[in-house]
Amino acid sequence: MQLKARQVERIYEKLGMEITKTHHKLAFFRYNSKVIIKTRLSHGNGDAKAADKIRQDFRLSEKDFCDLRDCPMDKNRYVEILKQKGIIEN
């Protein structure tokens, strides 16, 4: 799966992730003030390194991650999936 850094940044924005810039961009997805997902992205505008690792950080199948990247999936649907997987408590 090809993934551009800008596409990952748009996912961060869509999910309202908290971003900390160090030598990488660290992004945290919080739900009810609790960090649920933590991921990182190297600086740059080219291809994102280790696209499959980023997908795994989001705890999504390849199909679901493509939906998140390509916009059919919104934040509410993402939270719903994480609840179904038991990552977020109901």
Side-chain angles (χ1 to χ4, degrees):
M1 167 180 28
Q2 286 284 4
L3 192 62
K4 299 281 185 187
R6 184 65 194 130
Q7 291 173 306
V8 176
E9 290 171 350
R10 279 195 295 265
I11 291 170
Y12 292 169
E13 291 168 12
K14 178 194 297 194
L15 297 178
M17 295 179 78
E18 176 184 317
I19 298 172
T20 303
K21 293 181 182 180
T22 61
H23 57 284
H24 298 290
K25 288 183 183 177
L26 300 177
F28 303 90
F29 179 74
R30 294 182 184 271
Y31 186 78
N32 292 338
S33 302
K34 182 179 175 187
V35 173
I36 305 298
I37 303 292
K38 179 179 118 179
T39 188
R40 71 181 182 127
L41 177 66
S42 296
H43 291 287
N45 294 324
D47 289 340
K49 302 293 188 237
D52 198 53
K53 171 70 173 111
I54 293 171
R55 178 190 61 78
Q56 291 172 1
D57 289 346
F58 280 94
R59 308 247 179 29
L60 292 172
S61 68
E62 190 165 339
K63 180 198 176 306
D64 286 339
F65 188 75
C66 288
D67 284 349
L68 182 63
R69 178 195 65 197
D70 298 336
C71 292
M73 184 186 301
D74 62 7
K75 183 177 179 177
N76 292 332
R77 176 68 182 130
Y78 180 62
V79 168
E80 187 179 307
I81 289 171
L82 295 181
K83 285 180 178 180
Q84 289 172 356
K85 292 183 174 194
I87 297 166
I88 293 176
E89 294 177 9
N90 285 325

